[in-house]
Amino acid sequence: KIQKALAPPYTLENLTLDVSASVGAALFPQHGNDADTLLQRVDVAMYAAKQDKKDFVLYSEKLDQQSPRRLSLVSELREAIKNDELSLRYQPIINNLTQVVSEAEVRWRWEHKIHGTLNPDEFIPLAERSGLIYPLTQWVITNALRQQSAWRTLGLDLGMAVNISAQTLLDPEFVDQVTGLLAAHDVPPQQLILEITESSIMFDQELALHILTRFSDMGVRIAIDDFGTGYSSLSYLRKLPVTQLKIDKSFVLDMLENENDAVIVNATIDLGHNLGLKVIAEGVENEDILKRLRQRGCDGMQGYHINYPLRSEDFLPWFYNAAHLGQRAVAAKGEIRSSI
């Protein structure tokens, strides 16, 4: 009935639109004896329907090979988002030209009551499979912008980079949600950086281009994260309103010992600059790599040699009180600067 109801085309502002739905189902008591279990499993079925481009999928154990612990984490994550049991870390990014910390990348953590602090690798795949990635990303952006606004009042005006999944990027409400959050926290759009992977924009290239263009027109900056690990077309990337390329750390970590990695890093820097883009290297974990990237003209660097992702309460003391791996931060005339 749902499929039939959505089958006729819809007219919106003189445009005729075809709408389709992916439906997942789970049955009581075959697939669960309580609401949380049924919701977990119906989310799995719906995700399978979307992934396989099917109209309807009924849950089966074959669709979900996760351990009981991971299954229980889904319902717990849903509650964690509601109850603010998540936390953020901020990893500084050094601008090579000005030698200041000009941006910070937001890292996500889940402060689990039983399992302790969980890294994104442990719960992001769950969020994507269960349909929780959108509310999770909304929570992250909301709290990141709130922190950014608080820092701005103290004179620390950093760009804030947030990783965005394909599901979130292609959600029709995403642009309007971000617009509202920027206004609510009085953060200039150009101080928000959305990091997307090459693979995420290949699901629906036309829609991705449309959404990214809307963000760009607002002033929001777009970065291609983990550049070099995807399989996207350079001709397509050229069309995107991208402002930054971020070199994947797998190439940066071994660039001094592995000639192939060094070639990729150098080529990416040259490619980015020829396209008028800023290039940032991830995985800067020692001084020798930092020096080499500076020599090659890489625009920005981040990694453990700069600093680990920091809690908000630790970021300002680190920034002001110096001695972070040879970098010294000072405050002058209300402005925060660092010299290397």
Side-chain angles (χ1 to χ4, degrees), residues 4-167:
K4 288 180 180 179
L6 293 174
Y10 287 78
T11 301
L12 179 65
E13 296 180 356
N14 298 320
L15 293 176
T16 301
L17 306 175
D18 290 317
V19 180
S20 61
S22 298
V23 181
L27 301 177
F28 171 86
Q30 296 97 309
H31 302 137
N33 293 312
D34 58 83
D36 282 343
T37 301
L38 288 169
L39 282 172
Q40 292 170 20
R41 291 175 174 172
V42 78
D43 281 340
V44 169
M46 183 187 67
Y47 181 84
K50 293 174 68 173
Q51 189 175 47
D52 297 337
K53 301 188 183 301
K54 295 181 179 179
D55 294 336
F56 175 82
V57 169
L58 181 65
Y59 174 83
S60 72
E61 292 183 359
K62 294 180 180 179
L63 297 176
D64 198 343
Q65 302 298 323
Q66 300 178 84
S67 68
R69 174 179 178 270
R70 290 175 67 83
L71 279 174
S72 67
L73 286 177
V74 174
S75 61
E76 293 168 356
L77 179 58
R78 195 187 307 272
E79 292 302 311
I81 297 171
K82 294 179 182 178
N83 299 330
D84 282 338
E85 295 171 6
L86 304 165
S87 65
L88 300 180
R89 308 286 193 275
Y90 304 90
Q91 186 169 33
I93 300 173
I94 294 291
N95 184 303
N96 188 28
L97 180 63
T98 61
Q99 297 188 3
V100 302
V101 179
S102 57
E103 299 168 8
E105 180 176 345
V106 180
R107 303 288 192 178
W108 314 1
R109 300 292 186 270
W110 179 5
E111 308 298 339
H112 196 280
K113 296 177 181 178
I114 298 174
H115 305 300
T117 301
L118 300 181
N119 291 319
D121 290 346
E122 299 179 76
F123 63 90
I124 295 299
L126 293 176
E128 292 177 335
R129 282 189 65 86
S130 63
L132 291 174
I133 191 64
Y134 187 83
L136 175 59
T137 304
Q138 191 174 20
W139 185 95
V140 170
I141 294 177
T142 299
N143 285 274
L145 292 179
R146 181 179 294 122
Q147 182 62 66
Q148 192 174 18
S149 179
W151 281 344
R152 280 168 55 80
T153 63
L154 300 175
L156 179 57
D157 196 10
L158 294 181
M160 195 74 79
V162 181
N163 289 277
I164 304 298
S165 71
Q167 294 180 43

Side-chain angles (χ1 to χ4, degrees), residues 167-240:
Q167 294 180 43
T168 300
L169 176 67
L170 301 179
D171 190 290
E173 298 181 358
F174 184 52
V175 177
D176 292 335
Q177 291 280 1
V178 173
T179 302
L181 291 171
L182 286 167
H185 297 287
D186 194 27
V187 173
Q190 62 269 22
Q191 290 299 83
L192 176 63
I193 305 154
L194 301 181
E195 295 192 0
I196 57 176
T197 62
E198 296 174 74
S199 57
S200 69
I201 57 180
M202 302 309 290
F203 285 105
D204 189 330
Q205 297 182 21
E206 186 175 344
L207 180 57
L209 177 59
H210 171 72
I211 290 174
L212 293 176
T213 300
R214 288 184 62 189
F215 275 121
S216 178
D217 290 343
M218 290 167 48
V220 173
R221 289 181 279 168
I222 309 296
I224 300 294
D225 195 21
D226 301 336
F227 185 77
T229 61
Y231 300 95
S232 56
S233 165
L234 286 177
S235 63
Y236 176 66
L237 288 177
R238 183 169 50 87
K239 301 176 184 177
L240 296 174

